[in-house]
Amino acid sequence: MTDEQRGEITKLCREADILDKSGELLTRQGAHERIDDLREKARNLKNSSSA
């Protein structure tokens, strides 16, 4: 995982209101998949909050 990916995971965990997962050991591909998942969770939380 790159430092940029780690920072993105930290930010998205905050936005999705879940425990920070940036300390996990992930490959670049694994981090990419985690980021996609967290983006979806953050989007869903934002949409449910504004409904």
Side-chain angles (χ1 to χ4, degrees):
M1 166 176 9
T2 67
D3 288 338
E4 185 177 326
Q5 287 175 315
R6 189 173 310 281
E8 184 72 7
I9 288 172
T10 298
K11 181 185 91 153
L12 290 168
C13 283
R14 266 196 311 266
E15 290 178 11
D17 196 29
I18 62 171
L19 201 58
D20 187 356
K21 305 284 187 182
S22 64
E24 294 182 0
L25 296 176
L26 298 170
T27 62
R28 286 183 183 188
Q29 180 60 37
H32 179 74
E33 291 169 5
R34 176 66 49 90
I35 288 168
D36 287 344
D37 181 54
L38 289 169
R39 281 183 178 145
E40 182 66 26
K41 287 179 180 179
R43 189 176 313 120
N44 289 341
L45 183 64
K46 188 175 183 179
N47 288 339
S48 67
S49 296
S50 60

mmCIF file of all heavy atoms in Angstrom:
data_model
loop_
_atom_site.group_PDB
_atom_site.id
_atom_site.type_symbol
_atom_site.label_atom_id
_atom_site.label_comp_id
_atom_site.label_asym_id
_atom_site.label_seq_id
_atom_site.Cartn_x
_atom_site.Cartn_y
_atom_site.Cartn_z
ATOM 1 N N MET A 1 0.852 -1.161 0.000
ATOM 2 C CA MET A 1 0.000 0.000 0.000
ATOM 3 C C MET A 1 0.905 1.233 0.000
ATOM 4 O O MET A 1 1.913 1.282 0.696
ATOM 5 C CB MET A 1 -0.899 -0.039 1.244
ATOM 6 C CG MET A 1 -1.593 1.230 1.541
ATOM 7 S SD MET A 1 -2.764 1.290 2.926
ATOM 8 C CE MET A 1 -2.630 -0.201 3.800
ATOM 9 N N THR A 2 0.503 2.216 -0.763
ATOM 10 C CA THR A 2 1.265 3.457 -0.821
ATOM 11 C C THR A 2 0.833 4.388 0.313
ATOM 12 O O THR A 2 -0.231 4.202 0.923
ATOM 13 C CB THR A 2 1.058 4.175 -2.161
ATOM 14 O OG1 THR A 2 -0.306 4.613 -2.245
ATOM 15 C CG2 THR A 2 1.387 3.280 -3.349
ATOM 16 N N ASP A 3 1.663 5.387 0.595
ATOM 17 C CA ASP A 3 1.299 6.377 1.617
ATOM 18 C C ASP A 3 0.034 7.123 1.216
ATOM 19 O O ASP A 3 -0.799 7.458 2.068
ATOM 20 C CB ASP A 3 2.440 7.365 1.832
ATOM 21 C CG ASP A 3 3.617 6.750 2.572
ATOM 22 O OD1 ASP A 3 3.415 5.735 3.275
ATOM 23 O OD2 ASP A 3 4.729 7.282 2.456
ATOM 24 N N GLU A 4 -0.113 7.376 -0.059
ATOM 25 C CA GLU A 4 -1.318 8.061 -0.553
ATOM 26 C C GLU A 4 -2.559 7.210 -0.284
ATOM 27 O O GLU A 4 -3.599 7.722 0.144
ATOM 28 C CB GLU A 4 -1.174 8.348 -2.040
ATOM 29 C CG GLU A 4 -2.319 9.162 -2.601
ATOM 30 C CD GLU A 4 -2.113 9.505 -4.075
ATOM 31 O OE1 GLU A 4 -0.958 9.700 -4.481
ATOM 32 O OE2 GLU A 4 -3.122 9.563 -4.789
ATOM 33 N N GLN A 5 -2.470 5.908 -0.551
ATOM 34 C CA GLN A 5 -3.595 5.023 -0.287
ATOM 35 C C GLN A 5 -3.898 4.978 1.210
ATOM 36 O O GLN A 5 -5.060 4.996 1.612
ATOM 37 C CB GLN A 5 -3.302 3.609 -0.804
ATOM 38 C CG GLN A 5 -3.360 3.493 -2.305
ATOM 39 C CD GLN A 5 -2.944 2.129 -2.783
ATOM 40 O OE1 GLN A 5 -1.942 1.574 -2.320
ATOM 41 N NE2 GLN A 5 -3.691 1.580 -3.732
ATOM 42 N N ARG A 6 -2.864 4.941 2.042
ATOM 43 C CA ARG A 6 -3.057 4.909 3.489
ATOM 44 C C ARG A 6 -3.813 6.161 3.954
ATOM 45 O O ARG A 6 -4.737 6.092 4.756
ATOM 46 C CB ARG A 6 -1.707 4.804 4.193
ATOM 47 C CG ARG A 6 -1.807 4.548 5.674
ATOM 48 C CD ARG A 6 -0.454 4.281 6.310
ATOM 49 N NE ARG A 6 0.345 3.284 5.621
ATOM 50 C CZ ARG A 6 0.196 1.960 5.712
ATOM 51 N NH1 ARG A 6 -0.756 1.474 6.479
ATOM 52 N NH2 ARG A 6 0.983 1.138 5.061
ATOM 53 N N GLY A 7 -3.419 7.306 3.422
ATOM 54 C CA GLY A 7 -4.104 8.551 3.773
ATOM 55 C C GLY A 7 -5.555 8.559 3.314
ATOM 56 O O GLY A 7 -6.443 9.032 4.026
ATOM 57 N N GLU A 8 -5.794 8.026 2.138
ATOM 58 C CA GLU A 8 -7.166 7.953 1.612
ATOM 59 C C GLU A 8 -8.025 7.038 2.477
ATOM 60 O O GLU A 8 -9.180 7.341 2.773
ATOM 61 C CB GLU A 8 -7.138 7.451 0.163
ATOM 62 C CG GLU A 8 -8.475 7.419 -0.511
ATOM 63 C CD GLU A 8 -9.049 8.781 -0.854
ATOM 64 O OE1 GLU A 8 -8.351 9.798 -0.684
ATOM 65 O OE2 GLU A 8 -10.202 8.829 -1.297
ATOM 66 N N ILE A 9 -7.461 5.915 2.919
ATOM 67 C CA ILE A 9 -8.205 5.000 3.785
ATOM 68 C C ILE A 9 -8.536 5.680 5.110
ATOM 69 O O ILE A 9 -9.662 5.565 5.603
ATOM 70 C CB ILE A 9 -7.409 3.687 3.995
ATOM 71 C CG1 ILE A 9 -7.427 2.877 2.692
ATOM 72 C CG2 ILE A 9 -7.988 2.871 5.142
ATOM 73 C CD1 ILE A 9 -6.529 1.661 2.692
ATOM 74 N N THR A 10 -7.590 6.405 5.681
ATOM 75 C CA THR A 10 -7.841 7.132 6.926
ATOM 76 C C THR A 10 -8.991 8.111 6.755
ATOM 77 O O THR A 10 -9.921 8.169 7.571
ATOM 78 C CB THR A 10 -6.566 7.886 7.373
ATOM 79 O OG1 THR A 10 -5.535 6.934 7.626
ATOM 80 C CG2 THR A 10 -6.821 8.706 8.625
ATOM 81 N N LYS A 11 -8.944 8.890 5.682
ATOM 82 C CA LYS A 11 -9.989 9.892 5.415
ATOM 83 C C LYS A 11 -11.352 9.227 5.221
ATOM 84 O O LYS A 11 -12.360 9.661 5.792
ATOM 85 C CB LYS A 11 -9.613 10.694 4.170
ATOM 86 C CG LYS A 11 -10.614 11.784 3.816
ATOM 87 C CD LYS A 11 -10.249 12.451 2.519
ATOM 88 C CE LYS A 11 -10.949 11.698 1.459
ATOM 89 N NZ LYS A 11 -11.328 12.264 0.255
ATOM 90 N N LEU A 12 -11.385 8.166 4.453
ATOM 91 C CA LEU A 12 -12.658 7.501 4.171
ATOM 92 C C LEU A 12 -13.226 6.791 5.394
ATOM 93 O O LEU A 12 -14.445 6.746 5.559
ATOM 94 C CB LEU A 12 -12.490 6.521 3.004
ATOM 95 C CG LEU A 12 -12.276 7.183 1.644
ATOM 96 C CD1 LEU A 12 -11.841 6.155 0.616
ATOM 97 C CD2 LEU A 12 -13.528 7.914 1.188
ATOM 98 N N CYS A 13 -12.368 6.267 6.247
ATOM 99 C CA CYS A 13 -12.859 5.660 7.491
ATOM 100 C C CYS A 13 -13.562 6.706 8.340
ATOM 101 O O CYS A 13 -14.613 6.434 8.918
ATOM 102 C CB CYS A 13 -11.709 5.018 8.270
ATOM 103 S SG CYS A 13 -11.164 3.435 7.602
ATOM 104 N N ARG A 14 -12.985 7.900 8.409
ATOM 105 C CA ARG A 14 -13.637 8.996 9.151
ATOM 106 C C ARG A 14 -14.991 9.320 8.526
ATOM 107 O O ARG A 14 -15.983 9.474 9.225
ATOM 108 C CB ARG A 14 -12.751 10.238 9.135
ATOM 109 C CG ARG A 14 -11.862 10.383 10.312
ATOM 110 C CD ARG A 14 -11.302 11.785 10.426
ATOM 111 N NE ARG A 14 -10.729 12.277 9.182
ATOM 112 C CZ ARG A 14 -9.449 12.183 8.843
ATOM 113 N NH1 ARG A 14 -8.596 11.612 9.650
ATOM 114 N NH2 ARG A 14 -9.024 12.650 7.697
ATOM 115 N N GLU A 15 -15.010 9.440 7.201
ATOM 116 C CA GLU A 15 -16.258 9.795 6.520
ATOM 117 C C GLU A 15 -17.320 8.715 6.669
ATOM 118 O O GLU A 15 -18.506 9.021 6.739
ATOM 119 C CB GLU A 15 -15.986 10.054 5.039
ATOM 120 C CG GLU A 15 -15.205 11.316 4.778
ATOM 121 C CD GLU A 15 -14.902 11.526 3.306
ATOM 122 O OE1 GLU A 15 -15.456 10.814 2.452
ATOM 123 O OE2 GLU A 15 -14.083 12.426 3.015
ATOM 124 N N ALA A 16 -16.892 7.444 6.700
ATOM 125 C CA ALA A 16 -17.837 6.333 6.819
ATOM 126 C C ALA A 16 -18.168 6.027 8.280
ATOM 127 O O ALA A 16 -18.957 5.138 8.555
ATOM 128 C CB ALA A 16 -17.265 5.085 6.149
ATOM 129 N N ASP A 17 -17.534 6.781 9.206
ATOM 130 C CA ASP A 17 -17.763 6.619 10.637
ATOM 131 C C ASP A 17 -17.468 5.194 11.102
ATOM 132 O O ASP A 17 -18.253 4.573 11.813
ATOM 133 C CB ASP A 17 -19.192 7.018 11.000
ATOM 134 C CG ASP A 17 -19.360 7.247 12.487
ATOM 135 O OD1 ASP A 17 -18.374 7.631 13.146
ATOM 136 O OD2 ASP A 17 -20.479 7.017 12.999
ATOM 137 N N ILE A 18 -16.304 4.667 10.652
ATOM 138 C CA ILE A 18 -15.869 3.347 11.088
ATOM 139 C C ILE A 18 -14.437 3.438 11.593
ATOM 140 O O ILE A 18 -13.730 4.412 11.336
ATOM 141 C CB ILE A 18 -15.974 2.287 9.959
ATOM 142 C CG1 ILE A 18 -15.070 2.636 8.786
ATOM 143 C CG2 ILE A 18 -17.396 2.099 9.510
ATOM 144 C CD1 ILE A 18 -14.984 1.537 7.759
ATOM 145 N N LEU A 19 -14.007 2.417 12.316
ATOM 146 C CA LEU A 19 -12.668 2.357 12.879
ATOM 147 C C LEU A 19 -11.624 2.474 11.776
ATOM 148 O O LEU A 19 -11.774 1.885 10.705
ATOM 149 C CB LEU A 19 -12.507 1.021 13.602
ATOM 150 C CG LEU A 19 -11.426 0.904 14.647
ATOM 151 C CD1 LEU A 19 -11.619 1.938 15.749
ATOM 152 C CD2 LEU A 19 -11.454 -0.483 15.245
ATOM 153 N N ASP A 20 -10.574 3.229 12.031
ATOM 154 C CA ASP A 20 -9.507 3.447 11.051
ATOM 155 C C ASP A 20 -8.829 2.126 10.688
ATOM 156 O O ASP A 20 -8.332 1.416 11.553
ATOM 157 C CB ASP A 20 -8.485 4.427 11.621
ATOM 158 C CG ASP A 20 -7.427 4.837 10.621
ATOM 159 O OD1 ASP A 20 -7.407 4.316 9.494
ATOM 160 O OD2 ASP A 20 -6.597 5.686 10.974
ATOM 161 N N LYS A 21 -8.815 1.804 9.407
ATOM 162 C CA LYS A 21 -8.226 0.559 8.905
ATOM 163 C C LYS A 21 -6.889 0.800 8.210
ATOM 164 O O LYS A 21 -6.358 -0.091 7.579
ATOM 165 C CB LYS A 21 -9.183 -0.098 7.895
ATOM 166 C CG LYS A 21 -10.571 -0.354 8.409
ATOM 167 C CD LYS A 21 -10.597 -1.528 9.318
ATOM 168 C CE LYS A 21 -12.035 -1.868 9.685
ATOM 169 N NZ LYS A 21 -12.129 -2.962 10.594
ATOM 170 N N SER A 22 -6.335 2.015 8.331
ATOM 171 C CA SER A 22 -5.126 2.344 7.585
ATOM 172 C C SER A 22 -3.891 1.609 8.095
ATOM 173 O O SER A 22 -2.888 1.547 7.399
ATOM 174 C CB SER A 22 -4.869 3.850 7.614
ATOM 175 O OG SER A 22 -4.606 4.277 8.932
ATOM 176 N N GLY A 23 -3.953 1.029 9.273
ATOM 177 C CA GLY A 23 -2.815 0.308 9.819
ATOM 178 C C GLY A 23 -2.702 -1.123 9.336
ATOM 179 O O GLY A 23 -1.706 -1.795 9.612
ATOM 180 N N GLU A 24 -3.695 -1.594 8.615
ATOM 181 C CA GLU A 24 -3.659 -2.969 8.115
ATOM 182 C C GLU A 24 -2.614 -3.102 7.014
ATOM 183 O O GLU A 24 -2.358 -2.165 6.268
ATOM 184 C CB GLU A 24 -5.028 -3.376 7.577
ATOM 185 C CG GLU A 24 -6.088 -3.446 8.650
ATOM 186 C CD GLU A 24 -7.430 -3.888 8.117
ATOM 187 O OE1 GLU A 24 -7.562 -4.154 6.909
ATOM 188 O OE2 GLU A 24 -8.362 -3.968 8.922
ATOM 189 N N LEU A 25 -2.019 -4.265 6.912
ATOM 190 C CA LEU A 25 -1.058 -4.537 5.849
ATOM 191 C C LEU A 25 -1.805 -5.005 4.618
ATOM 192 O O LEU A 25 -2.424 -6.070 4.624
ATOM 193 C CB LEU A 25 -0.055 -5.610 6.300
ATOM 194 C CG LEU A 25 0.827 -5.224 7.474
ATOM 195 C CD1 LEU A 25 1.700 -6.407 7.878
ATOM 196 C CD2 LEU A 25 1.694 -4.027 7.118
ATOM 197 N N LEU A 26 -1.766 -4.198 3.575
ATOM 198 C CA LEU A 26 -2.471 -4.517 2.341
ATOM 199 C C LEU A 26 -1.539 -4.330 1.151
ATOM 200 O O LEU A 26 -0.647 -3.488 1.183
ATOM 201 C CB LEU A 26 -3.680 -3.581 2.150
ATOM 202 C CG LEU A 26 -4.786 -3.635 3.196
ATOM 203 C CD1 LEU A 26 -5.747 -2.487 2.989
ATOM 204 C CD2 LEU A 26 -5.507 -4.956 3.136
ATOM 205 N N THR A 27 -1.788 -5.101 0.112
ATOM 206 C CA THR A 27 -1.094 -4.858 -1.154
ATOM 207 C C THR A 27 -1.714 -3.625 -1.784
ATOM 208 O O THR A 27 -2.744 -3.123 -1.327
ATOM 209 C CB THR A 27 -1.271 -6.051 -2.108
ATOM 210 O OG1 THR A 27 -2.678 -6.190 -2.406
ATOM 211 C CG2 THR A 27 -0.748 -7.346 -1.503
ATOM 212 N N ARG A 28 -1.091 -3.136 -2.828
ATOM 213 C CA ARG A 28 -1.684 -1.982 -3.526
ATOM 214 C C ARG A 28 -3.069 -2.325 -4.040
ATOM 215 O O ARG A 28 -3.988 -1.519 -3.952
ATOM 216 C CB ARG A 28 -0.790 -1.549 -4.683
ATOM 217 C CG ARG A 28 0.442 -0.843 -4.215
ATOM 218 C CD ARG A 28 1.262 -0.365 -5.364
ATOM 219 N NE ARG A 28 2.490 0.244 -4.855
ATOM 220 C CZ ARG A 28 3.342 0.879 -5.598
ATOM 221 N NH1 ARG A 28 3.137 1.001 -6.887
ATOM 222 N NH2 ARG A 28 4.417 1.399 -5.070
ATOM 223 N N GLN A 29 -3.226 -3.533 -4.580
ATOM 224 C CA GLN A 29 -4.540 -3.949 -5.085
ATOM 225 C C GLN A 29 -5.540 -4.076 -3.937
ATOM 226 O O GLN A 29 -6.682 -3.652 -4.058
ATOM 227 C CB GLN A 29 -4.426 -5.279 -5.838
ATOM 228 C CG GLN A 29 -5.745 -5.769 -6.396
ATOM 229 C CD GLN A 29 -6.386 -4.809 -7.391
ATOM 230 O OE1 GLN A 29 -5.690 -4.170 -8.166
ATOM 231 N NE2 GLN A 29 -7.690 -4.717 -7.377
ATOM 232 N N GLY A 30 -5.098 -4.658 -2.821
ATOM 233 C CA GLY A 30 -5.974 -4.792 -1.657
ATOM 234 C C GLY A 30 -6.403 -3.435 -1.127
ATOM 235 O O GLY A 30 -7.560 -3.240 -0.745
ATOM 236 N N ALA A 31 -5.471 -2.487 -1.111
ATOM 237 C CA ALA A 31 -5.799 -1.129 -0.664
ATOM 238 C C ALA A 31 -6.788 -0.480 -1.618
ATOM 239 O O ALA A 31 -7.721 0.196 -1.193
ATOM 240 C CB ALA A 31 -4.524 -0.292 -0.557
ATOM 241 N N HIS A 32 -6.598 -0.697 -2.904
ATOM 242 C CA HIS A 32 -7.512 -0.143 -3.909
ATOM 243 C C HIS A 32 -8.931 -0.680 -3.669
ATOM 244 O O HIS A 32 -9.906 0.083 -3.692
ATOM 245 C CB HIS A 32 -7.019 -0.500 -5.313
ATOM 246 C CG HIS A 32 -7.884 -0.001 -6.403
ATOM 247 N ND1 HIS A 32 -7.927 1.327 -6.771
ATOM 248 C CD2 HIS A 32 -8.772 -0.646 -7.204
ATOM 249 C CE1 HIS A 32 -8.813 1.464 -7.758
ATOM 250 N NE2 HIS A 32 -9.321 0.290 -8.025
ATOM 251 N N GLU A 33 -9.044 -1.974 -3.415
ATOM 252 C CA GLU A 33 -10.354 -2.573 -3.162
ATOM 253 C C GLU A 33 -10.960 -2.035 -1.868
ATOM 254 O O GLU A 33 -12.156 -1.758 -1.801
ATOM 255 C CB GLU A 33 -10.222 -4.095 -3.104
ATOM 256 C CG GLU A 33 -9.891 -4.693 -4.458
ATOM 257 C CD GLU A 33 -9.489 -6.153 -4.402
ATOM 258 O OE1 GLU A 33 -9.554 -6.770 -3.311
ATOM 259 O OE2 GLU A 33 -9.091 -6.678 -5.452
ATOM 260 N N ARG A 34 -10.133 -1.863 -0.839
ATOM 261 C CA ARG A 34 -10.623 -1.316 0.435
ATOM 262 C C ARG A 34 -11.126 0.112 0.239
ATOM 263 O O ARG A 34 -12.166 0.497 0.757
ATOM 264 C CB ARG A 34 -9.496 -1.354 1.471
ATOM 265 C CG ARG A 34 -9.802 -0.732 2.809
ATOM 266 C CD ARG A 34 -10.881 -1.457 3.613
ATOM 267 N NE ARG A 34 -10.664 -2.875 3.693
ATOM 268 C CZ ARG A 34 -9.972 -3.502 4.637
ATOM 269 N NH1 ARG A 34 -9.430 -2.830 5.611
ATOM 270 N NH2 ARG A 34 -9.856 -4.811 4.615
ATOM 271 N N ILE A 35 -10.394 0.905 -0.542
ATOM 272 C CA ILE A 35 -10.791 2.290 -0.810
ATOM 273 C C ILE A 35 -12.135 2.320 -1.536
ATOM 274 O O ILE A 35 -13.019 3.099 -1.175
ATOM 275 C CB ILE A 35 -9.699 3.024 -1.614
ATOM 276 C CG1 ILE A 35 -8.495 3.291 -0.702
ATOM 277 C CG2 ILE A 35 -10.222 4.316 -2.224
ATOM 278 C CD1 ILE A 35 -7.247 3.739 -1.429
ATOM 279 N N ASP A 36 -12.313 1.466 -2.520
ATOM 280 C CA ASP A 36 -13.596 1.410 -3.228
ATOM 281 C C ASP A 36 -14.731 1.069 -2.268
ATOM 282 O O ASP A 36 -15.801 1.685 -2.308
ATOM 283 C CB ASP A 36 -13.552 0.377 -4.361
ATOM 284 C CG ASP A 36 -12.718 0.827 -5.538
ATOM 285 O OD1 ASP A 36 -12.407 2.038 -5.646
ATOM 286 O OD2 ASP A 36 -12.361 -0.037 -6.370
ATOM 287 N N ASP A 37 -14.499 0.104 -1.391
ATOM 288 C CA ASP A 37 -15.509 -0.306 -0.418
ATOM 289 C C ASP A 37 -15.829 0.837 0.551
ATOM 290 O O ASP A 37 -16.996 1.115 0.835
ATOM 291 C CB ASP A 37 -15.007 -1.543 0.348
ATOM 292 C CG ASP A 37 -16.008 -2.036 1.362
ATOM 293 O OD1 ASP A 37 -17.175 -2.283 0.989
ATOM 294 O OD2 ASP A 37 -15.623 -2.190 2.541
ATOM 295 N N LEU A 38 -14.798 1.511 1.035
ATOM 296 C CA LEU A 38 -15.013 2.611 1.971
ATOM 297 C C LEU A 38 -15.716 3.788 1.311
ATOM 298 O O LEU A 38 -16.540 4.459 1.951
ATOM 299 C CB LEU A 38 -13.678 3.066 2.567
ATOM 300 C CG LEU A 38 -13.034 2.090 3.553
ATOM 301 C CD1 LEU A 38 -11.609 2.522 3.862
ATOM 302 C CD2 LEU A 38 -13.859 1.991 4.826
ATOM 303 N N ARG A 39 -15.412 4.048 0.053
ATOM 304 C CA ARG A 39 -16.115 5.123 -0.661
ATOM 305 C C ARG A 39 -17.604 4.831 -0.729
ATOM 306 O O ARG A 39 -18.437 5.715 -0.531
ATOM 307 C CB ARG A 39 -15.552 5.278 -2.078
ATOM 308 C CG ARG A 39 -14.259 6.027 -2.117
ATOM 309 C CD ARG A 39 -13.775 6.229 -3.523
ATOM 310 N NE ARG A 39 -12.536 6.993 -3.517
ATOM 311 C CZ ARG A 39 -11.552 6.817 -4.360
ATOM 312 N NH1 ARG A 39 -11.638 5.916 -5.320
ATOM 313 N NH2 ARG A 39 -10.452 7.548 -4.275
ATOM 314 N N GLU A 40 -17.934 3.574 -1.001
ATOM 315 C CA GLU A 40 -19.343 3.178 -1.068
ATOM 316 C C GLU A 40 -20.013 3.343 0.303
ATOM 317 O O GLU A 40 -21.117 3.870 0.407
ATOM 318 C CB GLU A 40 -19.453 1.735 -1.552
ATOM 319 C CG GLU A 40 -20.871 1.245 -1.706
ATOM 320 C CD GLU A 40 -21.639 1.961 -2.805
ATOM 321 O OE1 GLU A 40 -21.015 2.473 -3.755
ATOM 322 O OE2 GLU A 40 -22.881 2.007 -2.719
ATOM 323 N N LYS A 41 -19.330 2.903 1.366
ATOM 324 C CA LYS A 41 -19.897 3.031 2.713
ATOM 325 C C LYS A 41 -20.075 4.494 3.103
ATOM 326 O O LYS A 41 -21.089 4.861 3.685
ATOM 327 C CB LYS A 41 -19.009 2.319 3.722
ATOM 328 C CG LYS A 41 -19.096 0.822 3.622
ATOM 329 C CD LYS A 41 -18.196 0.140 4.616
ATOM 330 C CE LYS A 41 -18.334 -1.370 4.453
ATOM 331 N NZ LYS A 41 -17.475 -2.101 5.360
ATOM 332 N N ALA A 42 -19.095 5.330 2.781
ATOM 333 C CA ALA A 42 -19.187 6.761 3.098
ATOM 334 C C ALA A 42 -20.334 7.395 2.316
ATOM 335 O O ALA A 42 -21.084 8.213 2.858
ATOM 336 C CB ALA A 42 -17.864 7.461 2.785
ATOM 337 N N ARG A 43 -20.486 7.032 1.064
ATOM 338 C CA ARG A 43 -21.568 7.556 0.224
ATOM 339 C C ARG A 43 -22.921 7.148 0.802
ATOM 340 O O ARG A 43 -23.840 7.960 0.901
ATOM 341 C CB ARG A 43 -21.410 7.041 -1.201
ATOM 342 C CG ARG A 43 -22.337 7.681 -2.198
ATOM 343 C CD ARG A 43 -22.096 7.213 -3.634
ATOM 344 N NE ARG A 43 -20.688 7.219 -3.987
ATOM 345 C CZ ARG A 43 -20.003 6.135 -4.377
ATOM 346 N NH1 ARG A 43 -20.587 4.970 -4.452
ATOM 347 N NH2 ARG A 43 -18.728 6.224 -4.683
ATOM 348 N N ASN A 44 -23.051 5.884 1.199
ATOM 349 C CA ASN A 44 -24.307 5.402 1.761
ATOM 350 C C ASN A 44 -24.639 6.101 3.071
ATOM 351 O O ASN A 44 -25.792 6.445 3.321
ATOM 352 C CB ASN A 44 -24.258 3.892 1.975
ATOM 353 C CG ASN A 44 -24.290 3.117 0.679
ATOM 354 O OD1 ASN A 44 -24.690 3.637 -0.367
ATOM 355 N ND2 ASN A 44 -23.832 1.893 0.712
ATOM 356 N N LEU A 45 -23.622 6.317 3.919
ATOM 357 C CA LEU A 45 -23.853 7.010 5.186
ATOM 358 C C LEU A 45 -24.287 8.449 4.929
ATOM 359 O O LEU A 45 -25.212 8.942 5.555
ATOM 360 C CB LEU A 45 -22.573 6.985 6.033
ATOM 361 C CG LEU A 45 -22.689 7.616 7.413
ATOM 362 C CD1 LEU A 45 -23.671 6.838 8.278
ATOM 363 C CD2 LEU A 45 -21.333 7.668 8.074
ATOM 364 N N LYS A 46 -23.652 9.104 3.995
ATOM 365 C CA LYS A 46 -24.003 10.490 3.664
ATOM 366 C C LYS A 46 -25.432 10.568 3.126
ATOM 367 O O LYS A 46 -26.196 11.446 3.503
ATOM 368 C CB LYS A 46 -23.015 11.034 2.642
ATOM 369 C CG LYS A 46 -23.170 12.495 2.367
ATOM 370 C CD LYS A 46 -22.079 12.986 1.430
ATOM 371 C CE LYS A 46 -22.179 14.470 1.214
ATOM 372 N NZ LYS A 46 -21.109 14.945 0.332
ATOM 373 N N ASN A 47 -25.797 9.622 2.259
ATOM 374 C CA ASN A 47 -27.141 9.620 1.686
ATOM 375 C C ASN A 47 -28.198 9.315 2.744
ATOM 376 O O ASN A 47 -29.269 9.916 2.722
ATOM 377 C CB ASN A 47 -27.247 8.596 0.558
ATOM 378 C CG ASN A 47 -26.495 9.044 -0.681
ATOM 379 O OD1 ASN A 47 -26.218 10.230 -0.863
ATOM 380 N ND2 ASN A 47 -26.150 8.108 -1.540
ATOM 381 N N SER A 48 -27.904 8.421 3.688
ATOM 382 C CA SER A 48 -28.895 8.105 4.719
ATOM 383 C C SER A 48 -29.026 9.242 5.728
ATOM 384 O O SER A 48 -30.079 9.440 6.316
ATOM 385 C CB SER A 48 -28.541 6.803 5.426
ATOM 386 O OG SER A 48 -27.364 6.932 6.185
ATOM 387 N N SER A 49 -27.964 10.015 5.914
ATOM 388 C CA SER A 49 -28.012 11.156 6.838
ATOM 389 C C SER A 49 -28.830 12.310 6.280
ATOM 390 O O SER A 49 -29.463 13.043 7.015
ATOM 391 C CB SER A 49 -26.602 11.656 7.145
ATOM 392 O OG SER A 49 -25.870 10.672 7.812
ATOM 393 N N SER A 50 -28.794 12.460 4.964
ATOM 394 C CA SER A 50 -29.490 13.587 4.351
ATOM 395 C C SER A 50 -30.925 13.240 3.976
ATOM 396 O O SER A 50 -31.666 14.090 3.531
ATOM 397 C CB SER A 50 -28.735 14.080 3.114
ATOM 398 O OG SER A 50 -28.638 13.053 2.150
ATOM 399 N N ALA A 51 -31.332 12.013 4.186
ATOM 400 C CA ALA A 51 -32.699 11.601 3.828
ATOM 401 C C ALA A 51 -33.702 11.961 4.892
ATOM 402 O O ALA A 51 -33.472 12.296 5.961
ATOM 403 C CB ALA A 51 -32.739 10.094 3.582
#
